[in-house]
Amino acid sequence: MMNRFITSAFFLVAGYHLALAQTEEPIHYKITAPAGADLTLDGTLTVPDNQNKAVPVVLLIAGSGPTDRDCNSTYGFKSNAFKMLADSLVRQGIAVARYDKRYSGTNLKAAVAAIGTEKHRFNYYVSDAVGFIEQLQADKRFSKVIVAGHSEGSLVGMLAARQTKAAKYISIAGPGRNIADVMKVQFQTALPDTLRSLATVILDSLKEGYPVQRVNPFLQTMFNAKMQPGLISWMKYDPAVEIKKYVGPVLLINGKHDIQVATSEAELLKAARPDATLVLIDRMNHVLKNAPIDRAANIETYNQPHLPLTPGLVETIAQFVKK
């Protein structure tokens, strides 16, 4: 029996104070690592209380790097965006599950010890998401499972939603092209010319499936020998191709002030899936907060956990989920 605890809070909604209660409970997915070692992924399931019927549940899948279930990272930023999104959707009568993917949150050290960075493959993220989706699909408290992936998690969710025949799929700040091509665009502002040229050569090689033996020391963080197999496995996928294979309703969301994933990426996904709903939100950045377009000021919001979510985001998701 899972341990539960009740949290109550007062929220200001449409000018009225409402006392709402929700139940948070732990969820887990136990996997067997390639080397045979066990690894458990921890998550949080937030459910609206006092529901007399089954409710929809959204599985939130985190984005790139060691980003955890709350949208916080060991890279030094703490936005709490996913926790805030979960709490907000619960107020709309929608349950939310979110988890620490491999190499993040509570399993960061354990994943490195059990698997090792060099043994990671992109499809492991997908199989983990499938495991959580199947748990939610088997839970009679939920009427349907909607998969929502953020950034890198967009492709993970896209593939997992197709495999599990999830009811609906949401891409939030998801790339519409091969990640190698997306990284080239990101490097235009993140790297000086010389390093950018070297990085482009490396990306082209990895995209073709060939590891690179000699990597500039300044690029080791992204392209060291242990990272390359995982990157190669990620670069096998084209989101604009994969999204066509999912047959359910699709919502595409991108912020106009996202300096990591441009709105043109969402538009590519929309071109691949003309029946999808595309919503571009003014001033929203990559961590789902209002932010200036200036790069330095934009990134400052990544470490402002009390900054509210961009207005309209929650309502857009809730409307799609309930439709």
Side-chain angles (χ1 to χ4, degrees), residues 119-140:
K119 294 180 180 178
H120 173 68
R121 299 296 181 269
F122 186 81
N123 64 292
Y124 296 166
Y125 284 148
V126 179
S127 62
D128 296 344
V130 167
F132 279 105
I133 294 169
E134 290 177 341
Q135 286 186 51
L136 297 173
Q137 289 174 326
D139 194 322
K140 297 186 182 301

Side-chain angles (χ1 to χ4, degrees), residues 190-262:
L191 294 177
D193 291 345
T194 303
L195 288 179
R196 185 167 64 248
S197 298
L198 294 173
T200 297
V201 173
I202 293 172
L203 288 170
D204 288 340
S205 179
L206 297 179
K207 187 177 178 181
E208 292 298 319
Y210 300 108
V212 177
Q213 301 300 321
R214 299 180 64 182
V215 177
N216 185 288
F218 291 102
L219 298 175
Q220 282 287 332
T221 300
M222 294 173 286
F223 299 124
N224 64 69
K226 291 184 177 181
M227 296 285 291
Q228 289 185 32
L231 288 170
I232 289 173
S233 69
W234 186 2
M235 293 174 184
K236 292 178 180 179
Y237 295 100
D238 182 344
V241 173
E242 299 302 329
I243 199 169
K244 296 177 182 179
K245 301 176 184 178
Y246 173 72
V247 298
V250 174
L251 171 63
L252 308 170
I253 300 174
N254 219 103
K256 293 184 179 180
H257 284 189
D258 190 327
I259 58 173
Q260 291 184 238
V261 180

Side-chain angles (χ1 to χ4, degrees), residues 66-74 77-82 302 305:
T67 305
D68 68 13
R69 76 189 88 173
D70 293 334
C71 198
N72 301 328
S73 172
T74 55
F77 72 79
K78 181 177 182 179
S79 72
N80 273 350
F82 294 158
Y302 287 36

Side-chain angles (χ1 to χ4, degrees), residues 290-311:
N290 274 2
I293 197 63
D294 173 75
R295 183 177 182 83
N298 192 301
I299 292 176
E300 284 183 7
T301 67
Y302 287 36
N303 204 29
Q304 295 178 2
H306 300 298
L307 192 68
L309 297 174
T310 291

Side-chain angles (χ1 to χ4, degrees), residues 49-242:
D49 280 348
N50 302 318
Q51 298 295 316
N52 297 320
K53 60 181 181 179
V55 298
V57 59
V58 174
L59 177 69
L60 275 177
I61 303 173
S64 305
T67 305
D68 68 13
R69 76 189 88 173
D70 293 334
C71 198
N72 301 328
S73 172
T74 55
Y75 285 160
F77 72 79
K78 181 177 182 179
S79 72
N80 273 350
F82 294 158
K83 176 172 172 45
M84 298 169 72
L85 183 56
D87 291 342
S88 298
L89 288 173
V90 166
R91 300 202 287 271
Q92 301 274 353
I94 299 168
V96 178
R98 61 195 200 277
Y99 63 96
D100 293 339
K101 65 177 189 177
R102 300 189 193 207
Y103 309 101
S104 76
T106 57
N107 72 75
L108 176 59
K109 293 182 180 179
V112 173
I115 306 170
T117 308
E118 68 278 7
K119 294 180 180 178
H120 173 68
R121 299 296 181 269
F122 186 81
N123 64 292
Y124 296 166
Y125 284 148
V126 179
S127 62
D128 296 344
V130 167
F132 279 105
I133 294 169
E134 290 177 341
Q135 286 186 51
L136 297 173
Q137 289 174 326
D139 194 322
K140 297 186 182 301
R141 291 176 294 175
F142 307 127
S143 58
K144 56 186 174 182
V145 178
I146 297 89
V147 179
H150 176 258
S151 192
E152 178 187 18
S154 170
L155 178 57
V156 174
M158 192 185 298
L159 297 168
R162 177 172 64 87
Q163 290 185 29
T164 56
K165 296 181 171 61
K168 297 181 180 182
Y169 164 71
I170 303 171
S171 171
I172 307 173
R177 294 175 292 166
N178 186 286
I179 190 59
D181 299 319
V182 175
M183 291 175 73
K184 288 179 183 179
V185 174
Q186 293 175 339
F187 289 161
Q188 288 178 2
T189 55
L191 294 177
D193 291 345
T194 303
L195 288 179
R196 185 167 64 248
S197 298
L198 294 173
T200 297
V201 173
I202 293 172
L203 288 170
D204 288 340
S205 179
L206 297 179
K207 187 177 178 181
E208 292 298 319
Y210 300 108
V212 177
Q213 301 300 321
R214 299 180 64 182
V215 177
N216 185 288
F218 291 102
L219 298 175
Q220 282 287 332
T221 300
M222 294 173 286
F223 299 124
N224 64 69
K226 291 184 177 181
M227 296 285 291
Q228 289 185 32
L231 288 170
I232 289 173
S233 69
W234 186 2
M235 293 174 184
K236 292 178 180 179
Y237 295 100
D238 182 344
V241 173
E242 299 302 329

